[in-house]
Amino acid sequence: GAAIGDFMRPDRVIVGSSDERATQLMRQLYAPILRNHDRLLVMDPRSAELSKYAANAMLATRISFMNELANLAEKLGADIESVRLGIGSDHRIGYDFLYAGVGYGGSCFPKDIQALQHTAGEYGMQLSIVDAVEKVNRTQKQRILDKVRSRFGEQLDGRRFALWGLAFKPNTDDMREAPSRVVINGLVARGAQVVAYDPVAMGEARRIYASETAVSFAETPIAALDGADALIVVTEWKEFRSPDVDAMKQRLKTPVVFDGRNLYDPQWMRECGIEYFAIGRAPAPGADPGKR
């Protein structure tokens, strides 16, 4: 999604090299990109490789940490969005990768976490924190399904669900390890029909679900809502951030929204007459948080 921009404006460029000539060639190669700041770090190849895995593991850890806190926030009646602002405003922590949701996907985070686990195992080590990060992420991808089952029951035969977002993150069509696949597979396994929409990942989704008759696709987000028992938001595309709530209520069979990315304000949704389930958001005033 942002690969070219990240390449042209990098925070740093890490070069793993044990050869001085190769190092100088890399400095020359990157000189036009790093004209204003020397952000090239040279280290031995092993340290460079571990730095790459460690960086992605750290970001994945922040995501899983916030997701675990979000699940606790629901039990306590707290709001994970307020918690995010509370801890993110600490300059030692910052706001990046502190958004609670339905877990991370894609190729890099899952692959690099597993690579660290495998490498540690080869040397007789167990990375307890890294193991926990992956375990929490696997569990988190089931959270929306848990909420759907709590609302509609274990068996979903005859139910129809609209799903907004298929890619594992915005601005890409990549569905590798995408939470949407866990959600779709879980709904279909329980007898439900799924009508999905994504701005760019529809082609990839059609390929993945070519033989699955319970999964179909809509040309617009609103069209996906027609006759659905509920809407499930899985990817935080910008076009989903300001929905036509009146149209949403008219198209849905029941005005129920499961928001896996916390795009909407819970109070606003309730005031609009929508039954709203998010990740780690405070329950309605007067509700018993233990019974949410």
Side-chain angles (χ1 to χ4, degrees):
I4 295 176
D6 291 343
F7 180 83
M8 298 303 293
R9 295 179 296 276
D11 292 328
R12 81 290 195 213
V13 174
I14 297 177
V15 173
S17 174
S18 56
D19 182 272
E20 184 58 34
R21 180 171 179 273
T23 300
Q24 291 305 316
L25 288 172
M26 293 300 289
R27 289 188 184 279
Q28 293 173 26
L29 177 67
Y30 276 97
I33 297 174
L34 305 174
R35 288 184 65 185
N36 296 329
H37 304 281
D38 184 8
R39 298 177 177 175
L40 191 140
L41 304 175
V42 179
M43 58 188 71
D44 64 276
R46 275 294 197 188
S47 296
E49 182 178 2
L50 185 56
S51 294
K52 193 269 187 183
Y53 287 132
N56 278 346
M58 174 64 76
L59 298 178
T61 299
R62 287 169 67 98
I63 294 171
S64 284
F65 177 75
M66 287 304 291
N67 283 335
E68 200 156 51
L69 281 186
N71 298 336
L72 176 61
E74 289 188 15
K75 298 290 186 181
L76 298 175
D79 188 338
I80 196 62
E81 282 298 295
S82 296
V83 175
R84 179 181 67 82
L85 295 174
I87 66 176
S89 56
D90 187 327
H91 74 276
R92 297 168 301 175
I93 298 174
Y95 295 103
D96 292 342
F97 291 85
L98 288 187
Y99 291 91
V102 287
Y104 60 77
S107 60
C108 289
F109 285 5
K111 169 180 62 64
D112 289 358
I113 289 289
Q114 292 164 21
L116 277 176
Q117 291 172 310
H118 179 76
T119 300
E122 287 185 324
Y123 288 86
M125 288 184 61
Q126 181 176 353
L127 302 180
S128 299
I129 293 177
V130 176
D131 291 347
V133 168
E134 186 188 29
K135 180 181 179 181
V136 168
N137 193 60
R138 287 199 310 269
T139 302
Q140 196 67 18
K141 289 182 179 182
Q142 299 286 336
R143 286 293 293 156
I144 286 291
L145 290 172
D146 293 341
K147 292 174 182 291
V148 170
R149 293 202 306 272
S150 177
R151 173 60 177 78
F152 290 102
E154 286 292 332
Q155 290 304 312
L156 301 173
D157 300 83
R159 299 286 187 183
R160 180 185 178 96
F161 293 92
L163 188 138
W164 284 1
L166 292 161
F168 84 91
K169 68 176 183 178
N171 304 317
T172 180
D173 67 349
D174 195 340
M175 288 184 63
R176 286 174 290 183
E177 304 284 344
S180 64
R181 298 177 69 166
V182 175
V183 174
I184 291 173
N185 294 343
L187 293 173
V188 170
R190 290 170 176 82
Q193 299 278 323
V194 178
V195 183
Y197 170 82
D198 187 284
V200 302
M202 303 271 270
E204 177 66 4
R206 284 190 171 98
R207 182 188 67 80
I208 293 171
Y209 292 103
S211 60
E212 181 52 74
T213 58
V215 179
S216 59
F217 303 93
E219 294 303 315
T220 66
I222 290 297
L225 305 178
D226 286 335
D229 291 279
L231 165 64
I232 303 173
V233 181
V234 183
T235 311
E236 63 274 33
W237 287 96
K238 286 184 179 179
E239 68 179 272
F240 301 157
R241 294 180 182 274
S242 301
D244 184 335
V245 179
D246 290 334
M248 184 182 290
K249 291 170 64 177
Q250 291 171 6
R251 301 288 188 112
L252 287 170
K253 186 184 300 182
T254 51
V256 179
V257 173
F258 298 92
D259 184 357
R261 296 298 179 181
N262 291 345
L263 297 186
Y264 313 124
D265 177 68
Q267 185 62 33
W268 174 64
M269 295 297 279
R270 286 190 286 268
E271 290 173 356
C272 291
I274 292 177
E275 192 177 348
Y276 182 66
F277 301 88
I279 304 293
R281 305 304 304 271
D288 181 350
K291 295 181 179 179
R292 184 179 182 186

